[in-house]
Short mmCIF file of all heavy atoms in Angstrom, two decimals:
data_model
loop_
_atom_site.label_atom_id
_atom_site.label_comp_id
_atom_site.label_asym_id
_atom_site.label_seq_id
_atom_site.Cartn_x
_atom_site.Cartn_y
_atom_site.Cartn_z
N SER B 115 -34.69 -12.00 55.29
CA SER B 115 -34.92 -13.45 55.34
C SER B 115 -36.35 -13.79 54.97
O SER B 115 -37.27 -13.01 55.17
CB SER B 115 -34.66 -13.98 56.74
OG SER B 115 -33.47 -13.43 57.23
N GLY B 116 -36.50 -14.96 54.46
CA GLY B 116 -37.84 -15.39 54.07
C GLY B 116 -37.77 -16.75 53.43
O GLY B 116 -36.79 -17.48 53.58
N ILE B 117 -38.82 -17.07 52.69
CA ILE B 117 -38.80 -18.34 51.97
C ILE B 117 -38.72 -18.07 50.48
O ILE B 117 -39.15 -17.03 49.99
CB ILE B 117 -40.05 -19.20 52.27
CG1 ILE B 117 -41.32 -18.41 52.03
CG2 ILE B 117 -39.99 -19.73 53.66
CD1 ILE B 117 -42.54 -19.30 52.04
N LEU B 118 -38.16 -19.04 49.79
CA LEU B 118 -37.92 -18.89 48.36
C LEU B 118 -39.06 -19.52 47.58
O LEU B 118 -39.46 -20.64 47.87
CB LEU B 118 -36.62 -19.60 47.97
CG LEU B 118 -35.38 -19.15 48.69
CD1 LEU B 118 -34.29 -20.17 48.50
CD2 LEU B 118 -34.92 -17.83 48.13
N VAL B 135 -40.37 -14.51 49.68
CA VAL B 135 -41.52 -14.07 50.49
C VAL B 135 -41.04 -13.80 51.90
O VAL B 135 -40.39 -14.66 52.51
CB VAL B 135 -42.62 -15.15 50.49
CG1 VAL B 135 -43.78 -14.70 51.32
CG2 VAL B 135 -43.06 -15.46 49.09
N HIS B 136 -41.36 -12.61 52.39
CA HIS B 136 -40.82 -12.24 53.71
C HIS B 136 -41.76 -12.59 54.83
O HIS B 136 -42.96 -12.79 54.62
CB HIS B 136 -40.58 -10.73 53.76
CG HIS B 136 -39.58 -10.31 52.76
ND1 HIS B 136 -38.25 -10.62 52.86
CD2 HIS B 136 -39.72 -9.61 51.62
CE1 HIS B 136 -37.61 -10.12 51.84
NE2 HIS B 136 -38.47 -9.51 51.07
N PHE B 137 -41.21 -12.60 56.07
CA PHE B 137 -42.04 -12.74 57.26
C PHE B 137 -42.71 -11.41 57.52
O PHE B 137 -42.16 -10.38 57.24
CB PHE B 137 -41.17 -13.09 58.47
CG PHE B 137 -40.29 -14.25 58.20
CD1 PHE B 137 -38.91 -14.11 58.22
CD2 PHE B 137 -40.83 -15.50 57.90
CE1 PHE B 137 -38.09 -15.18 57.97
CE2 PHE B 137 -40.00 -16.56 57.65
CZ PHE B 137 -38.63 -16.41 57.69
N PHE B 139 -45.83 -14.15 57.40
CA PHE B 139 -46.80 -14.62 56.42
C PHE B 139 -47.54 -15.80 57.01
O PHE B 139 -47.10 -16.44 57.95
CB PHE B 139 -46.11 -15.04 55.12
CG PHE B 139 -45.07 -16.11 55.31
CD1 PHE B 139 -45.42 -17.45 55.38
CD2 PHE B 139 -43.73 -15.76 55.45
CE1 PHE B 139 -44.46 -18.41 55.56
CE2 PHE B 139 -42.77 -16.73 55.63
CZ PHE B 139 -43.12 -18.06 55.69
N ILE B 140 -48.68 -16.03 56.47
CA ILE B 140 -49.48 -17.17 56.91
C ILE B 140 -49.36 -18.22 55.82
O ILE B 140 -49.66 -17.95 54.65
CB ILE B 140 -50.96 -16.76 57.08
CG1 ILE B 140 -51.02 -15.54 58.00
CG2 ILE B 140 -51.77 -17.91 57.61
CD1 ILE B 140 -52.39 -14.96 58.11
N PRO B 141 -48.92 -19.42 56.17
CA PRO B 141 -48.66 -20.45 55.14
C PRO B 141 -49.85 -20.71 54.25
O PRO B 141 -49.70 -20.89 53.04
CB PRO B 141 -48.30 -21.68 55.96
CG PRO B 141 -47.75 -21.14 57.23
CD PRO B 141 -48.47 -19.86 57.50
N VAL B 144 -50.06 -18.11 51.65
CA VAL B 144 -49.00 -18.26 50.64
C VAL B 144 -49.39 -19.33 49.64
O VAL B 144 -49.25 -19.15 48.42
CB VAL B 144 -47.66 -18.62 51.33
CG1 VAL B 144 -46.63 -18.97 50.30
CG2 VAL B 144 -47.21 -17.46 52.17
N LYS B 145 -49.91 -20.43 50.18
CA LYS B 145 -50.27 -21.53 49.27
C LYS B 145 -51.40 -21.10 48.33
O LYS B 145 -51.40 -21.42 47.13
CB LYS B 145 -50.72 -22.74 50.08
CG LYS B 145 -49.56 -23.46 50.71
CD LYS B 145 -49.99 -24.81 51.28
CE LYS B 145 -48.84 -25.39 52.06
NZ LYS B 145 -49.19 -26.51 52.89
N VAL B 161 -43.10 -23.39 46.69
CA VAL B 161 -42.10 -22.95 47.66
C VAL B 161 -40.93 -23.92 47.60
O VAL B 161 -41.09 -25.12 47.68
CB VAL B 161 -42.71 -22.94 49.07
CG1 VAL B 161 -41.67 -22.48 50.06
CG2 VAL B 161 -43.92 -22.04 49.10
N LEU B 162 -39.74 -23.38 47.42
CA LEU B 162 -38.60 -24.24 47.18
C LEU B 162 -37.68 -24.35 48.37
O LEU B 162 -36.94 -25.31 48.49
CB LEU B 162 -37.77 -23.71 46.01
CG LEU B 162 -38.46 -23.75 44.66
CD1 LEU B 162 -37.55 -23.13 43.63
CD2 LEU B 162 -38.75 -25.17 44.27
N GLY B 163 -37.66 -23.34 49.21
CA GLY B 163 -36.69 -23.43 50.29
C GLY B 163 -36.72 -22.18 51.14
O GLY B 163 -37.66 -21.39 51.08
N SER B 164 -35.66 -22.00 51.89
CA SER B 164 -35.63 -20.86 52.78
C SER B 164 -34.37 -20.06 52.55
O SER B 164 -33.35 -20.58 52.11
CB SER B 164 -35.66 -21.35 54.23
OG SER B 164 -34.42 -21.95 54.53
N TRP B 165 -34.48 -18.79 52.86
CA TRP B 165 -33.37 -17.87 52.64
C TRP B 165 -33.17 -17.09 53.92
O TRP B 165 -34.11 -16.51 54.44
CB TRP B 165 -33.75 -16.96 51.48
CG TRP B 165 -33.07 -15.63 51.41
CD1 TRP B 165 -33.62 -14.43 51.70
CD2 TRP B 165 -31.75 -15.37 50.99
NE1 TRP B 165 -32.73 -13.43 51.50
CE2 TRP B 165 -31.56 -13.97 51.05
CE3 TRP B 165 -30.69 -16.16 50.56
CZ2 TRP B 165 -30.37 -13.38 50.71
CZ3 TRP B 165 -29.52 -15.55 50.21
CH2 TRP B 165 -29.36 -14.17 50.29
N LEU B 176 -33.43 -18.87 64.43
CA LEU B 176 -33.95 -18.64 63.08
C LEU B 176 -33.73 -19.86 62.21
O LEU B 176 -34.60 -20.26 61.44
CB LEU B 176 -33.25 -17.40 62.49
CG LEU B 176 -33.88 -16.87 61.21
CD1 LEU B 176 -35.30 -16.43 61.50
CD2 LEU B 176 -33.07 -15.72 60.68
N SER B 177 -32.55 -20.47 62.36
CA SER B 177 -32.26 -21.60 61.49
C SER B 177 -33.18 -22.77 61.80
O SER B 177 -33.66 -23.46 60.91
CB SER B 177 -30.80 -22.02 61.60
OG SER B 177 -30.49 -22.24 62.95
N GLU B 178 -33.49 -22.95 63.09
CA GLU B 178 -34.42 -24.03 63.43
C GLU B 178 -35.80 -23.74 62.87
O GLU B 178 -36.48 -24.62 62.36
CB GLU B 178 -34.50 -24.19 64.95
CG GLU B 178 -33.42 -25.10 65.48
CD GLU B 178 -33.58 -25.30 66.98
OE1 GLU B 178 -34.73 -25.22 67.46
OE2 GLU B 178 -32.56 -25.53 67.63
N PHE B 179 -36.19 -22.46 63.00
CA PHE B 179 -37.50 -22.06 62.49
C PHE B 179 -37.59 -22.34 60.99
O PHE B 179 -38.58 -22.84 60.47
CB PHE B 179 -37.70 -20.57 62.80
CG PHE B 179 -38.93 -19.99 62.18
CD1 PHE B 179 -40.19 -20.52 62.45
CD2 PHE B 179 -38.85 -18.89 61.34
CE1 PHE B 179 -41.32 -19.97 61.89
CE2 PHE B 179 -39.99 -18.34 60.78
CZ PHE B 179 -41.22 -18.87 61.05
N LEU B 180 -36.49 -22.02 60.31
CA LEU B 180 -36.50 -22.22 58.87
C LEU B 180 -36.58 -23.70 58.53
O LEU B 180 -37.22 -24.09 57.57
CB LEU B 180 -35.25 -21.59 58.25
CG LEU B 180 -35.25 -20.06 58.27
CD1 LEU B 180 -33.91 -19.53 57.79
CD2 LEU B 180 -36.36 -19.53 57.38
N GLU B 181 -35.94 -24.52 59.34
CA GLU B 181 -36.02 -25.96 59.06
C GLU B 181 -37.43 -26.46 59.29
O GLU B 181 -37.92 -27.33 58.55
CB GLU B 181 -35.06 -26.72 59.98
CG GLU B 181 -33.66 -26.77 59.40
CD GLU B 181 -32.80 -27.79 60.13
OE1 GLU B 181 -33.37 -28.78 60.63
OE2 GLU B 181 -31.60 -27.57 60.17
N ASP B 182 -38.07 -25.91 60.33
CA ASP B 182 -39.45 -26.34 60.58
C ASP B 182 -40.34 -25.98 59.42
O ASP B 182 -41.29 -26.70 59.09
CB ASP B 182 -39.99 -25.67 61.85
CG ASP B 182 -39.30 -26.23 63.07
OD1 ASP B 182 -38.79 -27.36 62.96
OD2 ASP B 182 -39.27 -25.53 64.09
N LEU B 183 -40.05 -24.85 58.78
CA LEU B 183 -40.85 -24.45 57.62
C LEU B 183 -40.82 -25.53 56.56
O LEU B 183 -41.78 -25.70 55.80
CB LEU B 183 -40.31 -23.15 57.02
CG LEU B 183 -40.70 -21.87 57.73
CD1 LEU B 183 -40.02 -20.70 57.06
CD2 LEU B 183 -42.20 -21.70 57.69
N GLY B 184 -39.68 -26.26 56.54
CA GLY B 184 -39.57 -27.30 55.55
C GLY B 184 -40.64 -28.36 55.70
O GLY B 184 -41.04 -29.00 54.73
N THR B 185 -41.12 -28.51 56.94
CA THR B 185 -42.15 -29.52 57.13
C THR B 185 -43.50 -29.00 56.71
O THR B 185 -44.37 -29.76 56.28
CB THR B 185 -42.23 -29.94 58.60
OG1 THR B 185 -42.34 -28.75 59.38
CG2 THR B 185 -40.98 -30.69 58.99
N ILE B 186 -43.71 -27.69 56.82
CA ILE B 186 -45.01 -27.15 56.45
C ILE B 186 -45.17 -27.18 54.93
O ILE B 186 -46.14 -27.71 54.38
CB ILE B 186 -45.17 -25.70 56.94
CG1 ILE B 186 -44.83 -25.58 58.42
CG2 ILE B 186 -46.58 -25.21 56.65
CD1 ILE B 186 -44.89 -24.18 58.93
N PHE B 187 -44.16 -26.58 54.24
CA PHE B 187 -44.23 -26.60 52.78
C PHE B 187 -43.39 -27.75 52.32
O PHE B 187 -42.19 -27.62 52.14
CB PHE B 187 -43.63 -25.33 52.19
CG PHE B 187 -44.29 -24.08 52.66
CD1 PHE B 187 -43.70 -23.30 53.64
CD2 PHE B 187 -45.49 -23.67 52.11
CE1 PHE B 187 -44.30 -22.13 54.05
CE2 PHE B 187 -46.07 -22.51 52.53
CZ PHE B 187 -45.49 -21.74 53.49
N CYS B 188 -43.98 -28.89 52.14
CA CYS B 188 -43.10 -30.01 51.82
C CYS B 188 -42.67 -29.91 50.37
O CYS B 188 -43.48 -29.79 49.46
CB CYS B 188 -43.82 -31.32 52.07
SG CYS B 188 -45.50 -31.29 51.41
N HIS B 189 -41.43 -29.92 50.15
CA HIS B 189 -40.89 -29.90 48.79
C HIS B 189 -39.62 -30.71 48.80
O HIS B 189 -38.82 -30.64 49.72
CB HIS B 189 -40.61 -28.46 48.36
CG HIS B 189 -40.19 -28.38 46.94
ND1 HIS B 189 -38.88 -28.38 46.56
CD2 HIS B 189 -40.91 -28.34 45.80
CE1 HIS B 189 -38.81 -28.32 45.25
NE2 HIS B 189 -40.02 -28.30 44.77
N TRP B 192 -35.55 -29.63 49.89
CA TRP B 192 -35.74 -28.33 50.52
C TRP B 192 -34.40 -27.61 50.54
O TRP B 192 -33.46 -28.07 51.12
CB TRP B 192 -36.28 -28.56 51.92
CG TRP B 192 -36.57 -27.32 52.68
CD1 TRP B 192 -35.83 -26.80 53.71
CD2 TRP B 192 -37.65 -26.44 52.51
NE1 TRP B 192 -36.39 -25.66 54.19
CE2 TRP B 192 -37.52 -25.41 53.46
CE3 TRP B 192 -38.75 -26.41 51.63
CZ2 TRP B 192 -38.44 -24.37 53.56
CZ3 TRP B 192 -39.65 -25.37 51.73
CH2 TRP B 192 -39.48 -24.36 52.69
N GLN B 194 -31.79 -24.67 51.43
CA GLN B 194 -31.57 -23.64 52.44
C GLN B 194 -30.35 -22.83 52.06
O GLN B 194 -29.26 -23.37 51.93
CB GLN B 194 -31.34 -24.27 53.81
CG GLN B 194 -32.60 -24.84 54.39
CD GLN B 194 -32.29 -25.61 55.61
OE1 GLN B 194 -31.45 -26.49 55.57
NE2 GLN B 194 -32.96 -25.31 56.69
N LEU B 209 -32.08 -30.43 52.17
CA LEU B 209 -32.62 -31.44 53.07
C LEU B 209 -33.44 -32.40 52.24
O LEU B 209 -34.37 -32.01 51.56
CB LEU B 209 -33.56 -30.77 54.09
CG LEU B 209 -32.93 -30.18 55.33
CD1 LEU B 209 -34.02 -29.59 56.20
CD2 LEU B 209 -32.22 -31.26 56.12
N LYS B 211 -35.77 -35.47 52.68
CA LYS B 211 -36.37 -36.29 53.73
C LYS B 211 -36.69 -37.68 53.25
O LYS B 211 -36.64 -38.63 53.98
CB LYS B 211 -37.63 -35.60 54.25
CG LYS B 211 -37.32 -34.29 54.96
CD LYS B 211 -38.56 -33.65 55.48
CE LYS B 211 -39.25 -32.85 54.42
NZ LYS B 211 -38.53 -31.66 54.01
#
Side-chain angles (χ1 to χ4, degrees):
Chain B
S115 315
I117 53 168
L118 302 164
V135 180
H136 298 291
F137 309 117
F139 57 83
I140 307 174
V144 172
K145 284 191 188 167
V161 180
L162 294 177
S164 71
W165 156 254
L176 192 62
S177 54
E178 273 184 28
F179 173 57
L180 290 173
E181 275 193 30
D182 291 336
L183 280 177
T185 51
I186 309 177
F187 301 102
C188 45
H189 185 266
W192 182 254
Q194 287 172 307
L209 276 180
K211 293 181 277 292

